[in-house]
Amino acid sequence: MSILVNLDAMLAKRKKRSRELAEYVGITEQNISLLRTGRVRGIRFSTLDKICEFLECQPGDLLEYKSNVDLTQ
Amino acid sequence: MKFLCGIALIALPAFTFYCWLLLDSETFLSLLQESIPIQTQYIGLSNRLLALVPGLIPIALLMRGAWHLRRLFGLFAVRAFFHEEIAQRLHGFAFMLVFSVLAKPVAGALSSAALTMNYPEGERSISVTIESGDLTTLFIGVIFLIIAWVLREAHQLSKENAEIV
C-alpha cells in the first residue's frame, strides 16, 4: 500500500491521546490502533471528518501518498 | 437439531443394514420394488451382501451431509451465526445431498445387477430408476447450494466492511 497514515504524528503534534480520539470519533481504540498502523482496507469519510475535526487538521495532514520505490528507501 | 442429525448419522446406516441383511426375503423384496424394481421371488444373502456395497454409496454421501448439518447446527447452538464455517457447512450438506441423488440411480443399477447376477441368462436385469422425490431433493439441494454461495459472498463483504473504519 502506498498510502501512509500520519495519525501518530498528528496526535503527537496536537498532544492528544488515541483514547480521547476514539471516544470523540465513536470508534474503538482497537480500530484507532489499526488505523495508526495502516492495517485497514479503508476509512469512511465520516470517520475522517471526525478525526480532522478533533485534531483540527486537513485530510492531507493525515494521509500521504508515497510510491512503492520511496517506501523501500 | 444437532442431536437429531447425530441420530440420523447412526440411524441411516443402521436402517440400511437392517433392511438389506436382516429383513425376510418377502418384506425385503416388497420394499425393494419401490427403488429397484426387479422380477424375482427369492434373493440369497450373498447377493444381498454384494448388492449392499453399491447401495451404501448414496447412504454414505447422505451421512456425510448429515455430518455437515450437525456441525452447522453446532455453530447455531453457540450463536455463531456469522461464522465463516456456516456457508462451508451448508455448501457441504447441499453438495452431498445433490451428489447422493445423482449416485442413487447408478447405485440402484449396480445393486440390481448384483441381486440378479446368479440368475440364468435372460432373467438378469439392470434397473435404473429416478423417482419424483429424487428430483425434489435435487432441486432443494441446488437451492441450498445457491444459498451457501450467497452466504459466502455476504461473509466476504462483511469481512471487507469490517476492515473499513
Side-chain angles (χ1 to χ4, degrees):
Chain A
M1 182 71 102
S2 311
I3 303 289
L4 291 177
V5 182
N6 294 321
L7 189 58
D8 264 342
M10 279 310 294
L11 278 167
K13 211 171 178 177
R14 299 284 188 261
K15 294 188 175 104
K16 303 273 189 183
R17 291 183 178 185
S18 58
R19 189 162 55 84
E20 293 169 332
L21 176 65
E23 272 172 23
Y24 187 84
V25 177
I27 59 175
T28 62
E29 260 193 276
Q30 192 190 1
N31 275 342
I32 290 288
S33 172
L34 288 172
L35 194 57
R36 284 165 65 180
T37 51
R39 286 185 304 191
V40 289
R41 197 181 283 261
I43 179 167
R44 289 189 184 88
F45 277 134
S46 57
T47 309
L48 190 59
D49 179 63
K50 284 274 187 185
I51 294 173
C52 288
E53 197 176 287
F54 183 76
L55 296 174
E56 293 168 348
C57 66
Q58 292 298 313
D61 298 326
L62 296 167
L63 305 173
E64 185 182 350
Y65 173 78
K66 276 194 177 177
S67 71
N68 287 332
V69 179
D70 287 337
L71 283 172
T72 55
Q73 281 173 353
Chain B
M1 284 307 285
K2 187 186 172 186
F3 177 70
L4 282 178
C5 292
I7 289 175
L9 271 171
I10 301 163
L12 271 171
F15 184 70
T16 309
F17 276 104
Y18 172 74
C19 288
W20 281 82
L21 302 177
L22 299 174
L23 274 183
D24 62 274
S25 205
E26 198 178 316
T27 320
F28 174 70
L29 277 171
S30 65
L31 274 175
L32 199 67
Q33 289 305 313
E34 288 173 20
S35 53
I36 308 171
I38 50 170
Q39 299 301 314
T40 186
Q41 297 300 315
Y42 177 77
I43 295 170
L45 188 64
S46 58
N47 288 78
R48 279 200 199 188
L49 271 171
L50 201 63
L52 173 64
V53 178
L56 280 176
I57 297 168
I59 299 297
L61 292 168
L62 272 181
M63 281 173 68
R64 180 75 176 154
W67 178 80
H68 279 295
L69 209 56
R70 191 172 177 274
R71 295 285 298 261
L72 179 71
F73 285 117
L75 288 167
F76 287 158
V78 294
R79 305 182 71 83
F81 302 119
F82 301 104
H83 199 279
E84 198 176 0
E85 211 182 314
I86 297 277
Q88 284 173 15
R89 295 293 161 217
L90 192 63
H91 179 268
F93 166 69
F95 193 73
M96 289 301 147
L97 201 64
V98 168
F99 216 47
S100 76
V101 171
L102 296 177
K104 213 174 155 188
V106 181
L110 290 171
S111 290
S112 63
L115 286 169
T116 57
M117 68 183 291
N118 293 339
Y119 290 5
E121 259 182 60
E123 287 184 31
R124 293 172 197 158
S125 65
I126 288 181
S127 163
V128 180
T129 51
I130 297 170
E131 295 165 49
S132 60
D134 292 341
L135 294 175
T136 311
T137 311
L138 189 68
F139 178 73
I140 291 168
V142 171
I143 294 290
F144 275 133
L145 271 179
I146 295 167
I147 292 171
W149 174 74
V150 171
L151 276 179
R152 206 163 42 227
E153 290 296 312
H155 185 265
Q156 193 60 35
L157 275 175
S158 128
K159 206 172 155 186
E160 276 180 28
N161 205 33
E163 288 174 14
I164 297 172
V165 293

